[in-house]
């Protein structure tokens, strides 16, 4: 029975559906479809991953971007919970990294400069004099090579070679990212990279979540828990000052679930003022490189709840403060102030310039590895 179902699924769509496990209803697996053409004539594709429960994640190989992601509410209704665009042209117009893979260095490097073995490197600066999320053309703006990965669950493997000198970084970096949509309604993202010259590497994903549904109001009623008792205060350009500040007694304390709106406008807190809300990196309590629970996000009306597990030592919680309605998203809806939030698992911002922070240096012969799981 299972075999027949698999066969029908595959033939029905002329070989573009890779049926991983076909049981009932819509088939679990991966479907590839065209997503548009880049200005240089290259074609981008869209891969729809579906699991047996009916969760779908659509990913384009342009930027390795999560375009949409459906998750069930308390009544089992699936709805798209990530911000994004309907077509490639939306992404080409420019978005604040909706759902994309971020690299070679996620978050900021002060003044776009750092040194390795006494040699200074100068990176592209694209954020008030600092380097942000890989520079002018980071990994979110390149076309990745994509192919379904083998395994019992729908998975997509993306590859990109970042050439020596790209955006100012040393070394040819071979990057691989595997998205696996697990049957337990979790999306696992596994990153790996190797280099042929000493470099820095800090990869993450920049999905914007709104658990009420993308385009359905702001995220201020969402409740967030972060398993972190310290965070990194920042200067006026959002570069960490170097201090690891205890969260206790401040609006940065998410050690138990707190409504995001409760402290986000606390102008008595200098760090809220610096970030225009939350735009900071929290240091996870267990910051070794094992997989651990980093955050839990929930939305009381829909009842959706998402856990974030990661091998990374830290997590950037960005409350969508720079969204201002100018970027129009799926269904022609302008994404207004704080209508999505990011939970970016990562090494500390500006690590290449702050020797007390865990190192983000990658040497030839080593393999960078990082795993994050978003589970509903
Ligand atoms: C940063 C924000 C930035 C946003 C880009 C976040 O990761 O922390 O400061 O504005 O990315 O949209």
């Amino acid at each position: 029975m299972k075999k027949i179902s698999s066969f029908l699924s595959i033939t029905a769509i002329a070989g573009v559906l890779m049926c991983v496990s076909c049981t009932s209803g819509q088939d679990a697996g991966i479907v590839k479809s065209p997503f548009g053409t880049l200005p240089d004539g290259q074609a981008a594709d869209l891969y729809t991953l579906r699991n047996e429960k009916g969760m779908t994640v659509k990913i384009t190989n342009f930027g390795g971007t999560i375009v949409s992601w459906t998750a069930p509410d308390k009544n089992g209704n699936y709805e798209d919970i990530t911000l994004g665009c309907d077509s490639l042209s939306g992404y080409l117009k420019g978005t604040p990294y909706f759902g994309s893979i971020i690299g070679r260095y996620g978050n900021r490097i002060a003044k776009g400069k750092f040194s390795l073995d006494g040699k200074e490197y100068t990176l592209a600066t694209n954020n008030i004099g600092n380097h942000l999320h890989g520079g002018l053309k980071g990994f979110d703006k390149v076309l990745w090579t994509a192919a379904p990965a083998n395994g019992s669950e729908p998975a997509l493997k993306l590859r990109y070679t970042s050439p020596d000198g790209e955006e100012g970084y040393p070394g040819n970096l071979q990057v691989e990212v595997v998205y696996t949509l697990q049957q337990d309604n979790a999306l696992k993202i596994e990153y790996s990279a190797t280099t042929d010259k000493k470099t820095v590497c800090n990869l993450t994903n920049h999905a914007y979540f709104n658990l009420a549904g993308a385009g359905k109001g702001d995220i201020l009623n969402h409740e967030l828990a972060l398993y972190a008792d310290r965070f990194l205060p920042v200067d006026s350009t959002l570069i960490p000052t170097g201090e690891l500040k205890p969260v206790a007694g401040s609006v940065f304390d998410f050690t138990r679930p707190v409504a995001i709106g409760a402290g986000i406008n606390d102008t008595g807190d200098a760090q809220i003022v610096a970030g225009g809300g939350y735009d900071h990196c929290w240091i996870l309590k267990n910051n070794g490189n094992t997989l651990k629970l980093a955050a839990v996000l929930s939305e009381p009306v829909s009842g959706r709840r998402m856990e974030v597990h990661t091998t990374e030592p830290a997590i950037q919680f960005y409350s969508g403060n720079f969204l201002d309605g100018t970027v129009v998203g799926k269904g022609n809806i302008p994404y207004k102030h704080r209508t999505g939030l990011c939970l970016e698992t990562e090494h500390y911002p500006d690590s290449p310039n702050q020797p007390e922070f865990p190192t983000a240096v990658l040497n030839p012969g080593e393999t960078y590895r990082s795993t994050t799981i978003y589970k509903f």
Side-chain angles (χ1 to χ4, degrees):
M1 179 59 196
K2 197 168 171 182
K3 265 192 190 152
I4 294 171
S5 157
S6 302
F7 176 74
L8 290 178
S9 317
I10 291 168
T11 49
I13 57 162
V16 288
L17 183 132
M18 280 57 75
C19 191
V20 175
S21 172
C22 307
T23 46
S24 58
Q26 281 184 286
D27 293 328
I30 304 183
V31 179
K32 176 180 172 184
S33 52
F35 195 54
T37 307
L38 296 168
D40 66 3
Q42 292 186 87
D45 295 312
L46 186 69
Y47 293 83
T48 302
L49 284 65
R50 177 186 293 276
N51 72 6
E52 287 171 359
K53 289 209 170 87
M55 176 174 275
T56 59
V57 180
K58 295 188 184 211
I59 300 166
T60 172
N61 59 336
F62 179 70
T65 300
I66 298 171
V67 172
S68 73
W69 184 345
T70 67
D73 67 6
K74 59 189 172 200
N75 301 314
N77 298 317
Y78 281 75
E79 187 158 2
D80 187 359
I81 49 79
T82 49
L83 274 48
C85 305
D86 284 320
S87 65
L88 181 65
S89 64
Y91 292 97
L92 293 175
K93 273 187 215 146
T95 80
Y97 308 93
F98 289 155
S100 299
I101 296 170
I102 304 295
R104 181 177 303 200
Y105 198 93
N107 218 313
R108 291 173 172 83
I109 296 179
K111 302 191 173 32
K113 290 200 185 293
F114 66 96
S115 297
L116 289 174
D117 294 337
K119 182 169 168 24
E120 187 176 77
Y121 293 94
T122 301
L123 306 173
T125 48
N126 56 332
N127 190 260
I128 42 174
N130 296 321
H131 177 87
L132 173 68
H133 295 335
L136 296 168
K137 191 175 179 190
F139 294 178
D140 58 297
K141 295 181 188 66
V142 300
L143 196 65
W144 294 62
T145 305
N150 293 331
S152 59
E153 294 169 311
L156 183 68
K157 187 181 282 188
L158 296 153
R159 287 205 175 105
Y160 176 64
T161 301
S162 169
D164 188 8
E166 188 177 47
E167 300 294 312
Y169 290 102
N172 292 294
L173 190 77
Q174 310 275 353
V175 192
E176 192 176 283
V177 178
V178 181
Y179 286 102
T180 303
L181 179 54
Q182 301 181 167
Q183 304 304 0
D184 61 352
N185 275 354
L187 182 69
K188 179 164 74 178
I189 313 179
E190 293 166 290
Y191 308 83
S192 58
T194 55
T195 184
D196 58 5
K197 254 190 217 169
K198 193 171 195 166
T199 189
V200 293
C201 183
N202 187 27
L203 307 176
T204 192
N205 179 281
H206 211 285
Y208 285 69
F209 296 98
N210 184 327
L211 300 189
K216 293 202 166 160
D218 64 43
I219 46 76
L220 300 183
N221 75 332
H222 285 49
E223 289 179 4
L224 179 65
L226 294 171
Y227 296 96
D229 42 28
R230 290 171 301 168
F231 78 107
L232 299 179
V234 290
D235 68 14
S236 60
T237 69
L238 298 177
I239 296 291
T241 59
E243 184 191 1
L244 274 66
K245 192 170 180 180
V247 295
S250 78
V251 294
F252 287 80
D253 188 351
F254 287 93
T255 49
R256 73 229 172 283
V258 177
I260 290 169
I264 201 170
N265 290 319
D266 182 357
T267 47
D269 188 303
Q271 281 303 309
I272 286 287
V273 175
Y278 295 109
D279 196 354
H280 297 79
C281 187
W282 272 253
I283 309 306
L284 297 172
K285 276 187 202 163
N286 164 1
N287 71 4
N289 64 354
T290 52
L291 205 55
K292 69 265 172 193
L293 184 61
V296 177
L297 180 69
S298 60
E299 197 281 315
V301 180
S302 65
R304 292 193 179 90
R305 177 183 181 277
M306 182 183 77
E307 294 175 358
V308 185
H309 301 254
T310 188
T311 58
E312 286 298 307
I315 190 165
Q316 178 88 4
F317 163 38
Y318 166 56
S319 53
N321 312 310
F322 294 109
L323 296 174
D324 60 3
T326 51
V327 178
V328 176
K330 288 175 277 195
N332 232 13
I333 297 175
Y335 291 137
K336 296 192 182 145
H337 196 215
R338 298 176 177 161
T339 52
L341 68 94
C342 304
L343 293 167
E344 305 153 51
T345 53
E346 61 189 18
H347 270 56
Y348 307 4
D350 200 34
S351 300
N353 293 309
Q354 308 219 20
E356 331 71 58
F357 290 176
T359 182
V361 170
L362 183 68
N363 291 296
E366 295 172 349
T367 301
Y368 167 95
R369 285 188 204 283
S370 174
T371 300
T372 293
I373 297 175
Y374 297 95
K375 183 178 186 324
F376 285 87

